[in-house]
Amino acid sequence: MLTRIFLFISLMLFATAAIADVMQWQREFPKADFSKTTVPYKEILSGGVPRDAIPAIDTPLFKPAHDVDLTETEPVIGIEINGQYKAYPLRILMWHEIVNDHLAGQPITVTYCPLCNAAIVFNRTLEGQILDFGTTGRLRHSDLVMYDRQTESFFQQAMGVAIMGTLAGKELEMLPARIESFANYKKRAGPNAPILVPTNPRMRNYGINPYAGYEKGYPFLYKGELPDGINPMQRVITTQKRDIAYSLALLRERGEIKAPNDVVFRWSAGQNSALDGRLIAKGRDIGNVTATQNGKDIVYFIEFAFVYHAFSKGGQIIQ
């Protein structure tokens, strides 16, 4: 009898907490329809800051690569669409997480979640509507939960799927991009290729890593299961399918891995970790990774092992 009473009280507390969370969300996101959800409310946690406290960049400023003072080995997200290029340094995305932009006439959203080391570029046109994204201040499985300003639906950054709100269940298209060194970007895009620079250099401590030492620690606000036999903070490489992953250490050792479906991963030296020391330019060399299928760039992720485990639904990690 006491067990049943305890269980009932526990369920009531969980329900009360969930209702309180939704009420707070509704105050911050008045357009949103929180009756529509694809995940349990309790999995969405506050990251300690409110909506847009980490401000997305909506009017990005670019300079030609030859005119940008950036260490050659610093990481950038390099994108190519129809022969046109842009790059987004992690030293900037570390502080903003989202950039709403265009490239070659394509509306895109460039995202980076430092807690997961997840760099993903999206086509921000969904069912004919161009969406603009911001940060909710919430996390799920330690991953950025972003929202679109048109309907205020919540999107899981790691999957590009709306998990709550009017668009719940809808999925954004992911676009191929590389996390590469500044030097590698210039080599393939040319010295005049545009690279994102701060609109206001004094707005944040660009170049400083506010998560210094994080990759040597433990996942932040992560309450899910951890992968077996591997440090949850070890980097792994996988494709958008997330059916199989390879440790970065293994790829570094081999230099090249031929994965199923004619996917080829390649590694080369010369890129700093953005999440190692205080200065991104001084981070340890974790190298560059490319992923191709039949010679063409494809969507791929370099993420922490716990992230892969959380979103792969039992996918295998080879190390």
Side-chain angles (χ1 to χ4, degrees):
M1 184 66 180
L2 287 176
T3 302
R4 290 182 180 178
I5 293 173
F6 178 76
L7 179 60
F8 175 77
I9 292 173
S10 298
L11 290 172
M12 288 298 294
L13 288 173
F14 274 120
T16 302
I19 291 170
D21 285 342
V22 173
M23 290 176 65
Q24 174 60 34
W25 299 342
Q26 197 69 70
R27 286 191 288 270
E28 284 190 65
F29 302 90
K31 296 180 187 176
D33 181 359
F34 290 115
S35 68
K36 297 180 179 179
T37 180
T38 63
V39 301
Y41 294 118
K42 65 181 181 180
E43 290 185 357
I44 300 176
L45 306 176
S46 171
V49 294
R51 165 181 174 163
D52 296 325
I54 300 173
I57 296 175
D58 297 307
T59 55
L61 176 65
F62 294 87
K63 287 186 177 180
H66 69 78
D67 197 30
V68 175
D69 183 18
L70 199 64
T71 303
E72 294 287 277
T73 51
E74 277 206 38
V76 304
I77 301 175
I79 309 166
E80 181 271 324
I81 298 177
N82 295 330
Q84 296 185 35
Y85 292 85
K86 281 185 176 179
Y88 305 78
L90 293 195
R91 64 160 48 207
I92 299 177
L93 278 163
M94 186 78 72
W95 295 95
H96 295 277
E97 299 189 0
I98 296 173
V99 181
N100 295 300
D101 199 8
H102 291 79
L103 178 58
Q106 168 72 67
I108 62 173
T109 292
V110 182
T111 68
Y112 179 63
C113 176
L115 299 176
C116 294
N117 195 54
I120 307 174
V121 178
F122 300 101
N123 173 357
R124 59 188 177 96
T125 302
L126 182 62
E127 297 183 340
Q129 183 179 25
I130 298 176
L131 304 176
D132 304 308
F133 290 92
T135 60
T136 63
R138 275 75 177 173
L139 301 168
R140 178 172 175 263
H141 299 326
S142 200
D143 178 59
L144 163 66
V145 176
M146 54 193 197
Y147 76 97
D148 74 277
R149 296 187 182 125
Q150 284 65 36
T151 73
E152 296 185 343
S153 298
F154 285 15
F155 281 76
Q156 183 84 62
Q157 182 251 7
M159 302 297 289
V161 175
I163 56 175
M164 197 169 291
T166 303
L167 299 177
K170 303 293 184 180
E171 184 174 355
L172 298 168
E173 176 192 10
M174 295 184 181
L175 302 175
R178 296 183 183 183
I179 303 183
E180 58 188 337
S181 67
F182 182 43
N184 280 15
Y185 171 70
K186 290 188 294 182
K187 184 176 180 180
R188 73 183 181 111
N192 294 317
I195 185 163
L196 180 74
V197 295
T199 305
N200 177 3
R202 296 182 179 181
M203 183 178 182
R204 295 288 189 273
N205 290 322
Y206 299 114
I208 300 296
N209 167 24
Y211 305 92
Y214 174 66
E215 63 183 25
K216 299 183 182 72
Y218 189 84
F220 179 69
L221 286 181
Y222 181 73
K223 298 184 182 299
E225 293 181 354
L226 296 174
D228 293 328
I230 187 171
N231 185 322
M233 300 300 288
Q234 185 171 340
R235 287 175 172 83
V236 301
I237 300 96
T238 187
T239 64
Q240 187 174 352
K241 289 184 177 180
R242 283 197 173 94
D243 52 350
I244 188 170
Y246 303 88
S247 70
L248 180 62
L250 179 64
L251 179 59
R252 182 172 188 159
E253 177 185 322
R254 294 184 180 179
E256 178 180 294
I257 291 176
K258 294 182 178 179
N261 302 313
D262 298 316
V263 171
V264 178
F265 296 110
R266 291 189 177 91
W267 182 91
S268 62
Q271 182 190 145
N272 301 125
S273 166
L275 296 168
D276 180 25
R278 181 174 179 271
L279 296 176
I280 293 175
K282 300 291 185 180
R284 65 189 180 90
D285 185 358
I286 57 172
N288 297 278
V289 175
T290 61
T292 58
Q293 188 175 42
N294 300 319
K296 295 182 179 181
D297 277 19
I298 61 171
V299 174
Y300 73 106
F301 310 127
I302 308 171
E303 59 194 15
F304 294 128
F306 81 87
V307 182
Y308 175 77
H309 186 73
F311 295 106
S312 68
K313 299 179 180 179
Q316 180 185 13
I317 299 177
I318 298 177
Q319 55 180 323

